[in-house]
């Protein structure tokens, strides 16, 4: 996160940290994610560059995490991954990030996945017809870099506020032109002062509607971080409501 502030996971209790296990068993932070039901985490497809060959055993997910390099067993909940579902329409080799969305099924422990606490809870998904006006301000959170080009990620969870851009603005040649598909939208700050950055992808953008927070976007990509005319690009979650329901099952998600 560029230009934001340190946040506690209690104010973003659906945030998930996805780790990859190296051959030497080191846990390497890979991506953000969001808890949408007790056993399911929503994230970005590009977090799994091996696509459907990604090995479930090589990943784990921690909920309730404030700091990447510190473990607080009193609040954190860590799970293995039972299944990785990458959107069928995501093109791993392609140069565009269309359909950059994936689901992780958590491995239950003694019959249970995530247990609700002040640091762990699910986020609501918007209804497919929900649409927010350009200029609406929403919140992003993640453990990603505080500046493009840094070699290290943020030690702590951070948050920032970004404003939704009109699609025709983001598709203007001064911005991203035809790189923006109908499954994406852009958000940022005119001066680039707040943005998502490397390591934040897969994490949620949430917007407050009628005093409830809905996950409207998945942090996906952008050219650099915090640059004017180069806003953050997000996967449009409303377009995937049916896909998510089909994979997860209607029973277990909070619907707005
Ligand atoms: C990334 O590499 C990334 N400024 C995510 C978001 C943005 C740029 C890069 C948006 O994961």
């Amino acid at each position: 996160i560029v230009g934001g502030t340190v946040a506690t996971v209690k104010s973003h209790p659906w945030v998930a940290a996805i780790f990859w296990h190296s051959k030497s068993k080191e846990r390497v932070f890979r991506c953000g994610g969001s808890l949408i039901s007790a056993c399911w985490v929503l994230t970005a497809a590009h977090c799994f560059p091996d696509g459907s060959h990604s090995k479930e055993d090589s990943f784990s997910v921690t909920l309730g995490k404030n700091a990447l390099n510190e473990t607080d067993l009193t609040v954190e909940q860590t799970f293995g991954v039972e299944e990785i579902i990458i959107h069928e329409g995501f093109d791993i080799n392609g140069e565009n990030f269309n359909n950059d969305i994936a689901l992780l099924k958590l491995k239950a422990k003694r019959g249970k996945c995530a247990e609700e606490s002040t640091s762990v809870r699910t986020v609501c998904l918007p209804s497919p017809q929900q649409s927010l006006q350009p200029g609406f301000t929403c919140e992003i959170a993640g453990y990603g870099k505080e500046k493009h080009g840094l070699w290290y990620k943020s030690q702590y969870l951070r948050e920032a506020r970004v404003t939704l851009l009109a699609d025709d603005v983001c598709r203007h040649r001064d911005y991203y032109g035809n790189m923006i598909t109908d499954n994406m939208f852009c958000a940022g700050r005119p001066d680039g002062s707040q943005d998502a950055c490397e390591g934040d992808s897969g994490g949620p953008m949430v917007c407050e509607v009628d005093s409830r927070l809905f996950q409207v976007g998945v942090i996906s990509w952008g050219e650099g971080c915090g640059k004017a005319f180069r806003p953050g690009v997000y996967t449009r979650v409303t377009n995937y409501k049916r896909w998510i329901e089909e994979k997860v099952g209607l029973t277990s998600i909070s619907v707005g």
Side-chain angles (χ1 to χ4, degrees):
I1 298 284
V2 174
T5 52
V6 170
T8 65
V9 77
K10 281 185 176 160
S11 48
H12 307 270
W14 34 79
V15 164
I18 301 170
F19 293 89
W20 174 74
H21 302 235
S22 70
K23 277 172 213 114
S24 57
K25 298 286 172 237
E26 189 195 359
R27 280 182 99 213
V28 184
F29 177 77
R30 171 62 64 89
C31 267
S34 59
L35 189 71
I36 59 165
S37 75
C39 293
W40 290 92
V41 165
L42 188 65
T43 184
H46 84 262
C47 297
F48 308 94
D50 296 331
S52 51
H53 302 293
S54 298
K55 285 264 162 286
E56 278 82 0
D57 284 353
S58 322
F59 292 91
S60 62
V61 175
T62 300
L63 306 169
K65 203 162 184 52
N66 281 302
L68 274 191
N69 305 330
E70 294 165 26
T71 303
D72 184 347
L73 293 174
T74 65
V75 291
E76 291 181 13
Q77 300 180 34
T78 296
F79 299 90
V81 173
E82 186 164 302
E83 192 181 359
I84 301 173
I85 302 176
I86 293 162
H87 195 283
E88 304 73 12
F90 181 70
D91 183 4
I92 282 284
N93 307 305
E95 56 280 20
N96 81 64
F97 270 3
N98 198 23
N99 300 302
D100 191 12
I101 195 163
L103 285 162
L104 300 185
K105 186 173 192 190
L106 305 180
K107 238 183 220 157
K109 296 187 280 195
R110 292 187 277 108
K112 281 187 169 174
C113 298
E115 295 195 71
E116 190 171 320
S117 71
T118 52
S119 300
V120 175
R121 65 159 289 180
T122 56
V123 68
C124 297
L125 296 179
S127 69
Q129 53 289 359
Q130 185 181 101
S131 89
L132 299 173
Q133 296 305 312
F136 202 92
T137 297
C138 299
E139 204 169 60
I140 52 174
Y143 307 92
K145 295 182 181 180
E146 290 176 52
K147 217 177 126 194
H148 181 64
L150 289 181
W151 62 271
Y152 53 93
K153 298 203 167 73
S154 172
Q155 152 89 302
Y156 296 102
L157 181 66
R158 300 182 76 89
E159 64 184 17
R161 295 176 72 74
V162 287
T163 299
L164 307 183
L165 265 80
D167 295 333
D168 58 340
V169 170
C170 206
R171 287 186 185 130
H172 191 276
R173 55 192 157 79
D174 292 344
Y175 286 76
Y176 288 120
N178 61 13
M179 293 162 80
I180 305 301
T181 71
D182 289 342
N183 297 314
M184 307 172 186
F185 67 89
C186 302
R189 293 266 173 172
D191 60 357
S193 58
Q194 299 187 49
D195 195 7
C197 201
E198 203 185 321
D200 291 321
S201 45
M205 168 194 276
V206 297
C207 309
E208 187 178 329
V209 179
D210 298 333
S211 314
R212 297 212 313 161
L213 290 166
F214 293 91
Q215 182 175 355
V216 167
V218 175
I219 300 170
S220 179
W221 63 278
E223 259 180 50
C225 310
K227 288 201 310 197
F229 299 101
R230 293 293 180 270
V233 186
Y234 296 80
T235 308
R236 192 183 292 277
V237 172
T238 47
N239 286 7
Y240 297 95
K241 197 64 189 299
R242 287 268 306 273
W243 181 80
I244 294 168
E245 284 171 357
E246 177 195 316
K247 305 296 178 191
V248 173
L250 267 175
T251 48
S252 52
I253 33 179
S254 320
V255 176

